[in-house]
Amino acid sequence: MKKTKLTVITMLALLTLNQTKSFSQNESTKKDSVFNTSQKVQIIKGRLIDEASKSPIPFAAVAVVSTVPQIGTQTDDEGNFKLTNVPLGRQTLKVTFIGYEPLQIPDIMVTAGKEVILNLNLTEAISKLDEVVVSYDRKTDPTVTNNDMATVSSRSFNLDDTKKYAGALGDPSRMAANFAGVIAGNDSRNDIVVRGNTPNAMLWQLEGLNIPNPNHFGSNFNTGGPVSMLNSNNLAKSDFFSGAFPAQYGNANGGVFDLRLREGNNEKHEFLGQIGFNGFEIGAEGPLSKNSKASYLINYRYSTLGLFKTLGIDFGTGGATPLYQDLNFKITIPTKGNGKFTVFGLGGVSAIDLLGSEVDTTATNFYGSKNENTYPRFRSAIGGVSYEKSITDKTWMKLTLGASQSYNDYRTDSISLINKNIILGAQGAFTDNKYSAVFMLTHKFNAKNSLVAGVNHDFTQFDYVNKDFPTINSEIVRVKQKGELNLTQGYVQWKHRFTNKFSANVGLHSQYFDINQQAVIEPRLGLKLALGAKSSINLGYGLHHQTLPTYNLFLQNSNGIQTNKNLDFTRSNHVVLGFESNIAKNIKLKVETYYQAIDQVPVTNYPSTFSALNTGASFNPDDQADLVNKGTGTNYGAEITLERFFNKGFYFLITGSVFDSKYQGSDKIERNTAFNTKYAANALAGKEFKLGKKGSVLYANIKGTTLGGKYFTPLDFAASKQAGTAVFDDTKAFSEQQTPYFRIDVKIGYRKDFKKSSFEIAVDLQNVSNNKNIFAQGYNPYSNTISYEYQQGFFPVPMLKFTF
């Protein structure tokens, strides 16, 4: 930067600073006439950096614009800001700095029990100071992602989103099922289906690390589970992608969760206690020492039913009581020269005993059989340490080292029908120990051009054993393998802003897998054209590849041969065309159409209906061996989102999608996939009611969901009767459709702010109409009838929370 240009910008910054100081002083002299001394107030603070270079932005004006008068301040030399005496309730923050596009953050929940901490980014403007700019204003959109390379099929979410949506239960996956193009795979689990793809096509990242399944009762070979280990009280603003995602992400064909943990308060100790059906929680955060800007954040949870069982309180679940506990934490240590060390992690254990003696044979049971006792156990741990630093005022780097373990085992005992003797029926144990290194570099050339590049390497040691025991003296080995594998990925992304109206993101992603010794290079592209100040047209393309789960690679066939080991990646070409518009204040319309062509899909080497595109939505692994990369699939559809952001105590979100999801197995017949529901629609709304002037709020949220029934393979009743167990007619695979799914959830709550604490109580009434949604068709050998497994019925989930 030339010296003269630097001098001009410095003078303008000082002018902005003087204006902000004057504004703050005026606000201080007026506030006594507006705010009485008894009014409850709180602090909003945080840090402001350049979106591309990650360098701090000093002397920027930061103001709460939803108060009268407005409350303002400016950032210091390190980009830090602090706003005091902010009234409780929903507030709107605006950030401005000369030479940068303004940023506005609506719907900030300010409570007495916790200070608000925000980490914000500003984008440098490319227009001249006296130029009239007409461009699409993304910075007033609260769904804009952290990743500025995202163009299509992406949105951010925060802590409040996971909590306010009825039925979400603070779970990121269940929350994302409300987005266009996303459906839940199963009421009893949080697997999600993105645009017809298998749930196994999801990628989970935490603080930049590729992580294993972050759910309780979640196995090594799928991506979901009944209860999330991620505690929503610890989440920061995070990103979700449903297709054609940036080059930073790889080894996924469906979607991406890019999760961030928030930093603890570095000035004040704060505490949380929460009781709900999902667990008893305690949390704490604060400074590590009085003279340090370092902070800690920690939260622990123990299952509610597990605690009641320990206390001798019976809720009628018998031995099938889910036991789980988890821990989330993050430690942040700033260093000199705009650097920062971070240590983070999460872990959990879970177990349940499914006893055949407690199965009601007059009804279908999701998890048990009268003739079996099953004892599954699960354990996961994820930890990492990172160091980030601004090398220059235009270049930033981050290095993250991590380790994770995912372990689950099970034992199934068969119960003799004659003498009730117990015989070992099946047994398995699965361990993945992964060690990861991630390096990321960003460089901002100028206001028009920026570059992001990186590399990550995952080294995994695994040990898998899975056996069936048909008789006392025989066994069938599904998997018995111990070994190591390496997955290396690299990427480079370039963003060029031709004008304020038109920008392009171009990238390349590469990955190498040492098991099949396959290397691929994947182009990614994103284009955005503003049609004015309120609308834009967006185009995205991505080539993506994904490996099979490790378990499936080392399956043995009936001859004891590992036939899947050298399978290639499954390949996907994904193109998205979208339109978005701020059609009114606080209301956004978004429409996207997409087409996804999938090939190199694992199918059997003999004619059959099997395809890996139909797996991944159950507790059990897929045990299909003898696979080859000769299958195909297509997903295409259109989606619409109409959203009113929270304003004046009210919000709504309406999403809809129509789509088709097909596949071909090795029999070359095109069929519906297991996840082809044809359509899906959600309507959500919420309203807050202030009760008096003492900080009390009553709120209500409602959600309605409907989607087409899933296609399934019908039972062969005669064969099932003869075998005494369910036998399906594979010649008619996915040819019959279930009845449409419909469900309404309602969440009602009350929040009370005291002087230095907050209390909240709520109940989430799931499936209030008790609609019987069919999950699967089964066979009941005790009554010799075809039976149906149903999704969750009416279920109330209470919650009580106290922060101080």
Side-chain angles (χ1 to χ4, degrees):
M1 183 179 290
K2 294 182 179 181
K3 186 175 180 180
T4 55
K5 185 177 179 181
L6 178 61
T7 302
V8 171
I9 292 179
T10 302
M11 292 174 64
L12 291 170
L14 290 173
L15 176 61
T16 303
L17 174 60
N18 290 332
Q19 292 174 340
T20 304
K21 284 182 176 179
S22 175
F23 163 80
S24 300
Q25 290 167 357
N26 290 338
E27 175 271 321
S28 299
T29 60
K30 292 179 181 179
K31 69 181 180 181
D32 289 338
S33 64
V34 178
F35 302 135
N36 61 63
T37 56
S38 64
Q39 185 174 19
K40 300 181 182 71
V41 294
Q42 187 53 279
I43 291 172
I44 297 179
K45 62 183 180 180
R47 189 164 185 258
L48 182 67
I49 61 174
D50 182 284
E51 185 175 50
S53 70
K54 312 300 181 185
S55 298
I57 300 177
F59 311 131
V62 184
V64 179
V65 296
S66 51
T67 60
V68 180
Q70 296 181 4
I71 303 169
T73 187
Q74 67 279 324
T75 57
D76 63 16
D77 291 343
E78 297 180 349
N80 298 309
F81 64 89
K82 186 174 184 179
L83 295 156
T84 60
N85 296 318
V86 179
L88 305 185
R90 304 272 180 179
Q91 304 294 354
T92 298
L93 193 73
K94 186 172 184 178
V95 184
T96 56
F97 185 62
I98 293 175
Y100 282 77
E101 298 175 0
L103 171 66
Q104 184 163 305
I105 308 101
D107 189 27
I108 300 172
M109 172 56 71
V110 182
T111 64
K114 183 175 183 348
E115 294 180 354
V116 178
I117 303 174
L118 302 171
N119 291 311
L120 307 175
N121 304 325
L122 281 189
T123 301
E124 186 176 357
I126 63 174
S127 60
K128 298 178 181 179
L129 294 177
D130 58 351
E131 182 179 348
V132 176
V133 178
V134 179
S135 63
Y136 175 60
D137 188 4
R138 295 177 73 244
K139 290 303 178 180
T140 61
D141 183 353
T143 65
V144 169
T145 57
N146 293 316
N147 191 321
D148 67 330
M149 296 290 176
T151 307
V152 295
S153 303
S154 59
R155 67 171 290 156
S156 68
F157 62 93
N158 55 38
L159 164 65
D160 193 44
D161 292 332
T162 64
K163 291 182 174 296
K164 72 183 179 185
Y165 293 162
L169 300 177
D171 185 333
S173 292
R174 286 185 167 92
M175 175 215 61
N178 298 302
F179 299 158
V182 185
I183 63 173
N186 181 345
D187 281 356
S188 65
R189 296 167 55 87
N190 61 11
D191 307 88
I192 58 173
V193 175
V194 179
R195 292 178 172 171
N197 285 283
T198 165
N200 278 353
M202 285 294 304
L203 168 68
W204 286 91
Q205 283 196 349
L206 180 67
E207 297 287 327
L209 290 179
N210 298 327
I211 64 172
N213 188 342
N215 294 286
H216 289 296
F217 308 98
S219 66
N220 304 52
F221 24 77
N222 56 37
T223 60
V227 182
S228 176
M229 288 192 303
L230 292 160
N231 194 300
S232 61
N233 290 311
N234 289 13
L235 280 180
K237 181 183 176 183
S238 301
D239 292 344
F240 176 76
F241 303 87
S242 56
F245 30 84
Q248 181 177 337
Y249 310 104
N251 198 34
N253 284 332
V256 177
F257 268 114
D258 186 352
L259 301 172
R260 312 285 178 90
L261 297 175
R262 66 180 181 86
E263 297 179 1
N265 195 329
N266 61 6
E267 296 181 338
K268 177 185 177 183
H269 293 283
E270 296 175 328
F271 305 94
L272 173 146
Q274 182 169 314
I275 303 173
F277 191 85
N278 283 345
F280 285 76
E281 301 180 30
I282 54 173
E285 62 182 286
L288 289 179
S289 66
K290 292 182 178 180
N291 300 321
S292 170
K293 292 184 178 180
S295 66
Y296 72 91
L297 171 68
I298 188 168
N299 191 292
Y300 171 78
R301 176 175 58 178
Y302 191 87
S303 65
T304 302
L305 292 181
L307 182 59
F308 286 155
K309 180 180 179 181
T310 302
L311 297 174
I313 303 173
D314 186 8
F315 271 77
T317 57
T321 301
L323 306 175
Y324 55 88
Q325 53 186 315
D326 51 60
L327 179 75
N328 292 209
F329 71 90
K330 184 174 184 178
I331 298 172
T332 306
I333 306 173
T335 62
K336 293 182 179 180
N338 194 33
K340 180 170 65 176
F341 276 105
T342 302
V343 182
F344 61 91
L346 69 88
V349 295
S350 50
I352 190 171
D353 295 340
L354 306 170
L355 305 180
S357 60
E358 298 180 353
V359 172
D360 180 5
T361 58
T362 64
T364 305
N365 185 283
F366 265 27
Y367 312 114
S369 169
K370 183 179 180 180
N371 301 323
E372 291 181 349
N373 293 334
T374 303
Y375 307 92
R377 300 291 184 266
F378 304 86
R379 181 176 69 243
S380 293
I382 302 164
V385 57
S386 66
Y387 176 69
E388 59 185 87
K389 181 178 176 59
S390 292
I391 303 173
T392 69
D393 62 347
K394 291 183 176 294
T395 307
W396 174 88
M397 58 77 63
K398 182 178 181 180
L399 175 66
T400 304
L401 302 177
S404 65
Q405 182 185 76
S406 180
Y407 171 83
N408 67 277
D409 67 51
Y410 79 96
R411 188 184 84 247
T412 298
D413 296 331
S414 297
I415 305 172
S416 171
L417 293 174
I418 301 174
N419 55 21
K420 301 301 181 182
N421 287 342
I422 295 177
I423 305 168
L424 180 63
Q427 192 170 29
F430 317 96
T431 303
D432 284 314
N433 293 315
K434 182 161 68 175
Y435 306 92
S436 305
V438 180
F439 179 76
M440 182 178 184
L441 180 75
T442 69
H443 181 74
K444 178 181 176 180
F445 296 96
N446 49 48
K448 288 188 174 184
N449 295 279
S450 59
L451 185 76
V452 179
V455 62
N456 61 73
H457 181 81
D458 294 324
F459 167 68
T460 304
Q461 296 174 320
F462 64 92
D463 187 357
Y464 287 177
V465 177
N466 193 18
K467 299 180 180 180
D468 292 339
F469 300 92
T471 65
I472 296 177
N473 299 316
S474 66
E475 68 176 28
I476 298 174
V477 178
R478 306 289 185 185
V479 170
K480 187 177 182 181
Q481 182 69 38
K482 181 187 295 186
E484 300 174 347
L485 56 86
N486 292 273
L487 177 65
T488 303
Q489 302 178 71
Y491 64 91
V492 59
Q493 301 175 111
W494 171 55
K495 182 174 184 177
H496 179 68
R497 302 164 69 194
F498 294 91
T499 66
N500 278 303
K501 292 184 177 182
F502 182 55
S503 64
N505 300 319
V506 181
L508 288 175
H509 178 273
S510 64
Q511 64 187 47
Y512 171 78
F513 190 45
D514 68 342
I515 296 299
N516 60 12
Q517 297 185 350
Q518 185 182 10
V520 293
I521 295 178
E522 305 168 340
R524 310 285 173 85
L525 172 68
L527 301 174
K528 181 179 289 287
L529 175 64
L531 303 179
K534 295 183 178 181
S535 305
S536 70
I537 294 177
N538 317 301
L539 176 68
Y541 166 77
L543 175 63
H544 310 275
H545 293 80
Q546 185 174 4
T547 65
L548 272 181
T550 306
Y551 175 88
N552 299 90
L553 290 174
F554 293 96
L555 280 167
Q556 298 180 188
N557 64 10
S558 58
N559 297 319
I561 301 173
Q562 295 176 341
T563 55
N564 298 347
K565 185 176 178 180
N566 295 317
L567 285 171
D568 291 339
F569 299 122
T570 299
R571 181 170 60 188
S572 165
N573 282 276
H574 203 154
V575 60
V576 181
L577 177 64
F579 168 81
E580 53 188 272
S581 177
N582 296 321
I583 59 177
K585 186 177 181 180
N586 300 308
I587 299 180
K588 178 182 177 181
L589 172 68
K590 183 176 181 179
V591 180
E592 286 192 334
T593 60
Y594 64 90
Y595 183 86
Q596 183 182 23
I598 309 171
D599 63 353
Q600 299 180 183
V601 179
V603 295
T604 56
N605 60 12
Y606 53 88
S608 79
T609 63
F610 174 85
S611 172
L613 296 181
N614 295 317
T615 64
S618 69
F619 289 91
N620 301 316
D622 169 64
D623 290 326
Q624 184 65 58
D626 299 315
L627 299 180
V628 292
N629 292 102
K630 294 185 178 181
T632 61
T634 56
N635 297 308
Y636 60 90
E639 303 164 356
I640 185 170
T641 299
L642 181 65
E643 183 169 9
R644 173 192 163 99
F645 306 122
F646 205 104
N647 184 52
K648 295 183 180 180
F650 176 66
Y651 79 90
F652 66 74
L653 172 66
I654 300 172
T655 63
S657 59
V658 290
F659 65 97
D660 198 28
S661 178
K662 296 289 180 62
Y663 81 97
Q664 280 191 11
S666 53
D667 62 358
K668 302 300 182 182
I669 299 174
E670 186 177 65
R671 292 182 167 86
N672 298 292
T673 69
F675 311 109
N676 189 14
T677 65
K678 298 291 186 179
Y679 69 88
N682 299 282
L684 300 89
K687 175 68 176 175
E688 289 187 349
F689 306 90
K690 293 184 179 180
L691 305 178
K693 299 181 179 180
K694 295 185 178 181
S696 297
V697 175
L698 179 69
Y699 61 85
N701 300 282
I702 187 170
K703 168 192 169 183
T705 297
T706 183
L707 50 99
K710 294 181 180 179
Y711 284 88
F712 65 96
T713 302
L715 275 171
D716 185 329
F717 183 74
S720 298
K721 182 178 179 180
Q722 183 177 2
T725 187
V727 177
F728 296 92
D729 185 356
D730 285 333
T731 63
K732 300 178 180 178
F734 307 107
S735 61
E736 297 188 13
Q737 190 175 20
Q738 297 169 355
T739 57
Y741 176 103
F742 178 75
R743 168 171 160 171
I744 294 178
D745 300 327
V746 176
K747 184 176 182 179
I748 301 172
Y750 170 78
R751 185 174 63 250
K752 171 70 174 178
D753 284 312
F754 302 96
K755 187 174 182 180
K756 293 185 178 180
S757 61
S758 298
F759 168 81
E760 184 176 359
I761 186 169
V763 60
D764 204 322
L765 304 172
Q766 301 193 335
N767 196 1
V768 292
S769 62
N770 199 29
N771 199 58
K772 289 189 174 182
N773 296 302
I774 296 175
F775 173 67
Q777 188 185 68
Y779 174 73
N780 190 330
Y782 307 104
S783 61
N784 191 32
T785 59
I786 294 177
S787 58
Y788 292 94
E789 296 179 352
Y790 291 96
Q791 303 266 29
Q792 178 182 292
F794 171 68
F795 193 69
V797 181
M799 186 277 293
L800 186 150
K801 180 179 179 181
F802 187 60
T803 55
F804 57 99

